[in-house]
Amino acid sequence: MKISTILKENRVTVSFEVFPPKQWDKIESTKETVRKMAESNPAFMSVTYGAAGTGAGFTQEIANEIKNCGVTPLSHLTCLTSTRDKIRSVAGELKSNNIENVLALRGDIPEGFVFPDKQYYEYAYQLVNELKELGDFCIGGACYPEVHPESKNRVDDMQHLKEKVDCGLDFLTSQLFFDNSVFLNFVEMCRVKGIEVPIIAGIMPITNAKQIKRTIELSNCSVPKKFYKIMERFAEDDASMKQAGIIYATEQIIDLMANGINNIHIYTMNKPDVAEKIMNGLSDIING
Ligand code: FAD
């Protein structure tokens, strides 16, 4: 099913993200993770694409497994380091596997990357245009409530986001954030700018102290005082930190829903138990 249809049909949706393994010998254990996560009945499950375009086959394989579990897959695809032939071939495989949903991304610029003379893709909107020609895909894109790190400023970032959406995006998924007011303000700014597509809120449950440092470095997101307090109190005790992180994420989702946000994407980091606990904490809200 197309994610655009799911977002229209369901009052609230909660979806999960998985990442594929880096080596083939780990594919079975990732498939097992997918099967366990599917038991929590997410609205759909996304599968990431390896950094710098590596491991396209792994992404397809995991997307197929998601489909086999009866869950709608969303396949990520990055373009920066790809040729047009490569993108055509991946789009062909997606079609032959009946995978209708693609998250069209540029990908991060790898360290030391020198743009070749004949660079096909510089930005995600070019991939959106290409995918529109290659099939009847439901296409999503990324957005950044706290501004993409490469952007000069918010005005520029918003303008480029509007241009990308106008190429034919069906929905946006946000970068993770810990402060709901940041996301709610961002959605308002999008609407003022005329960006009308559904904007899915990206939530990352932080379940250990190591993860928080890396997450903040990579995502550039701000951390509210309440979250720092939780870290100070529980970071040394793994079980307590995990429980506190799950509850923080669940509360964040409930607060977003109370503020009219109906579509949530959880960066579940291949942790079925975390996904399950969050879903249990929301069960009456989702099914009500
Ligand atoms: P773009 O939309 O192209 O934006 C990148 C930057 O360029 C922004 O600063 C934007 O303002 C600017 N820009 C856009 N158009 C123009 C223009 N015409 N002129 C000048 N500037 C412009 N990475 C992976 O490798 N694999 C994944 O699976 C993956 N999944 C992700 C999922 C989500 C929900 C998110 C939020 C990110 C994900 N990423 C993934 C990371 C993503 O690839 C990086 O953040 C990347 O740096 C930007 O990708 P984008 O698609 O947002 O790019």
Side-chain angles (χ1 to χ4, degrees):
M1 191 189 272
K2 288 195 168 155
I3 287 171
S4 49
T5 309
I6 296 175
L7 297 177
K8 266 184 218 137
E9 276 178 1
N10 295 10
R11 198 174 59 85
V12 296
T13 64
V14 180
S15 49
F16 300 160
E17 180 168 295
V18 287
F19 53 85
K22 291 200 172 80
Q23 293 135 5
W24 270 113
D25 60 356
K26 301 272 172 10
I27 200 90
E28 269 314 312
S29 86
T30 308
K31 285 185 183 178
E32 180 56 23
T33 300
V34 165
R35 290 192 283 273
K36 283 192 193 140
M37 284 172 58
E39 286 170 14
S40 294
N41 281 324
F44 64 88
M45 277 170 79
S46 75
V47 50
T48 61
Y49 200 74
T54 52
F58 298 92
T59 298
Q60 290 269 342
E61 189 78 11
I62 297 301
N64 284 338
E65 187 62 26
I66 294 170
K67 194 155 55 71
N68 292 341
C69 294
V71 176
T72 297
L74 166 62
S75 210
H76 292 203
L77 176 58
T78 67
C79 62
L80 181 72
T81 55
S82 267
T83 60
R84 290 184 80 186
D85 283 347
K86 172 77 182 165
I87 294 297
R88 275 160 207 261
S89 132
V90 174
E93 275 176 56
L94 288 166
K95 276 200 282 192
S96 60
N97 287 319
N98 286 322
I99 292 168
E100 302 173 281
N101 305 293
V102 184
L103 194 71
L105 300 147
R106 188 201 61 185
D108 282 323
I109 303 175
E111 230 178 278
F113 181 75
V114 181
F115 279 84
D117 286 345
K118 194 150 177 55
Q119 175 68 27
Y120 289 106
Y121 305 101
E122 218 174 322
Y123 299 110
Y125 80 88
Q126 294 159 311
L127 177 61
V128 179
N129 287 335
E130 189 91 12
L131 286 170
K132 283 269 157 203
E133 281 177 21
L134 294 174
D136 180 25
F137 294 110
C138 168
I139 309 174
C143 62
Y144 303 82
E146 297 184 67
V147 182
H148 187 272
E150 279 168 42
S151 286
K152 269 193 289 190
N153 53 46
R154 181 176 291 286
V155 176
D156 256 30
D157 206 33
M158 270 287 165
Q159 181 56 34
H160 294 137
L161 183 62
K162 167 83 172 124
E163 287 160 10
K164 180 165 73 170
V165 172
D166 288 348
C167 291
L169 286 187
D170 296 290
F171 65 94
L172 291 167
T173 305
S174 87
Q175 177 63 287
L176 64 96
F177 58 91
F178 297 111
D179 181 346
N180 283 354
S181 65
V182 166
F183 180 79
L184 295 169
N185 288 335
F186 171 74
V187 172
E188 256 182 37
M189 280 185 277
C190 286
R191 300 313 181 213
V192 168
K193 185 83 189 159
I195 296 171
E196 301 291 350
V197 293
I199 304 174
I200 305 176
I203 299 295
M204 162 107 42
I206 296 294
T207 52
N208 64 64
K210 254 194 257 147
Q211 190 191 351
I212 181 86
K213 195 166 172 287
R214 194 171 145 70
T215 302
I216 295 167
E217 272 167 20
L218 289 177
S219 67
N220 205 27
C221 66
S222 53
V223 181
K225 203 170 167 197
K226 179 177 169 181
F227 198 85
Y228 271 120
K229 286 271 176 207
I230 290 174
M231 291 283 302
E232 269 173 31
R233 179 75 174 79
F234 301 115
E236 299 300 313
D237 174 350
D238 290 352
S240 304
M241 186 61 227
K242 187 169 182 180
Q243 188 169 44
I246 289 169
I247 291 173
Y248 186 93
T250 310
E251 281 184 6
Q252 224 193 319
I253 294 170
I254 292 172
D255 180 59
L256 286 167
M257 288 180 176
N259 280 285
I261 304 299
N262 287 334
N263 308 119
I264 309 289
H265 191 61
I266 308 180
Y267 294 109
T268 33
M269 306 296 288
N270 294 18
K271 291 179 184 145
D273 59 326
V274 173
E276 188 189 356
K277 285 190 174 119
I278 295 179
M279 291 305 253
N280 286 344
L282 300 169
S283 56
D284 288 341
I285 295 172
I286 295 171
N287 301 320

